[in-house]
Amino acid sequence: MLTPRHQALLMTLAGMTVGVAVFGAVLAINGGNPLAGHDDTPAGIVNSQPTPSSTPHGDGLQPGSLTYVTATFGTDDKPVSAEVPAGWKSTQDGTRPRFLDPTGVWTIRFDTRGSKQTPDQLVDARARSIDERDFKKISTDNGTLVYTYVDQARGPRMGLSRWVSTDGGQTSAIEITVGGRPQDRAGLEEVLQHATDTLKLPVADGDTRPN
């Protein structure tokens, strides 16, 4: 016959067994984490759930993030220079150089051959010649064509093409075009304007420009 002391000890052991069983059931339900369902993870504990990576350039090209370096191109006897964003690499030299950022999202290119046509005439001609899906002409002010289209591989794109005149708009000395995405417009405008402001052209010694 059990004494009162033995009976109390058996009741204590039974209670502990039930508690362990309940705690084990909670762990099984919560995947082994007793804090599941709570956001207050203790400091020093790393959450194992993956964090979605941000989309590169998701907010667009920001003007304030750009620094510039001088690029020289053209020909040996008629060199041209302008400042382009630092880190954008030249993929084509000579009279039609092209500079591309490391990710391939943004570009600036120059055409130093010039033209006997006025900037406005070249704006109209370029707008008529672009054969891209969903092409839309945004503006044609001050010898600059702003447009958008959809590229089959890269999706929505934006281009800004400017023709610079050195004789009061009678002819065009150089074309500067920048490209990116619609959300990059502010940065693209900055790149285009900076290239225009820092542009240095050779002194003309004869008109050899094409029509």
Side-chain angles (χ1 to χ4, degrees), residues 2-211:
L2 296 175
T3 66
R5 181 179 178 181
H6 288 161
Q7 291 177 353
L9 179 60
L10 288 175
M11 291 180 64
T12 300
L13 291 174
M16 291 177 63
T17 302
V18 171
V20 171
V22 171
F23 184 74
V26 170
L27 286 177
I29 293 173
N30 290 333
N33 181 8
L35 296 178
H38 297 270
D39 295 328
D40 50 346
T41 304
I45 303 299
V46 178
N47 192 331
S48 61
Q49 293 183 352
T51 302
S53 59
S54 59
T55 303
H57 314 302
D59 295 331
L61 180 61
Q62 301 301 313
S65 67
L66 297 168
T67 57
Y68 295 88
V69 295
T70 300
T72 302
F73 39 90
T75 60
D76 292 338
D77 58 335
K78 292 184 178 181
V80 179
S81 68
E83 292 190 3
V84 302
W88 293 24
K89 301 300 183 181
S90 175
T91 61
Q92 184 174 321
D93 299 319
T95 59
R96 303 179 69 185
R98 181 171 178 262
F99 300 84
L100 195 67
D101 89 281
T103 66
V105 176
W106 310 306
T107 183
I108 180 171
R109 64 177 177 81
F110 302 83
D111 188 340
T112 66
R113 296 174 300 172
S115 172
K116 294 180 181 179
Q117 297 186 64
T118 69
D120 288 340
Q121 288 173 333
L122 291 171
V123 165
D124 292 339
R126 176 63 58 79
R128 291 194 302 268
S129 68
I130 296 176
D131 183 20
E132 297 286 354
R133 192 178 74 179
D134 295 336
F135 168 74
K136 182 179 180 181
K137 183 169 59 178
I138 305 298
S139 65
T140 58
D141 300 326
N142 302 317
T144 304
L145 171 65
V146 181
Y147 56 95
T148 58
Y149 63 97
V150 176
D151 182 86
Q152 184 175 357
R154 297 180 293 176
R157 299 289 293 173
M158 168 169 274
L160 295 84
S161 296
R162 172 175 294 169
W163 286 266
V164 179
S165 175
T166 58
D167 56 9
Q170 298 181 44
T171 62
S172 301
I174 188 171
E175 174 197 342
I176 309 173
T177 293
V178 295
R181 305 160 304 171
Q183 64 264 40
D184 300 320
R185 181 168 182 173
L188 295 175
E189 289 176 341
E190 158 69 19
V191 172
L192 178 61
Q193 189 59 48
H194 193 87
T196 304
D197 293 341
T198 58
L199 184 64
K200 293 182 180 179
L201 296 169
V203 177
D205 56 0
D207 193 350
T208 60
R209 288 171 289 186
N211 293 328

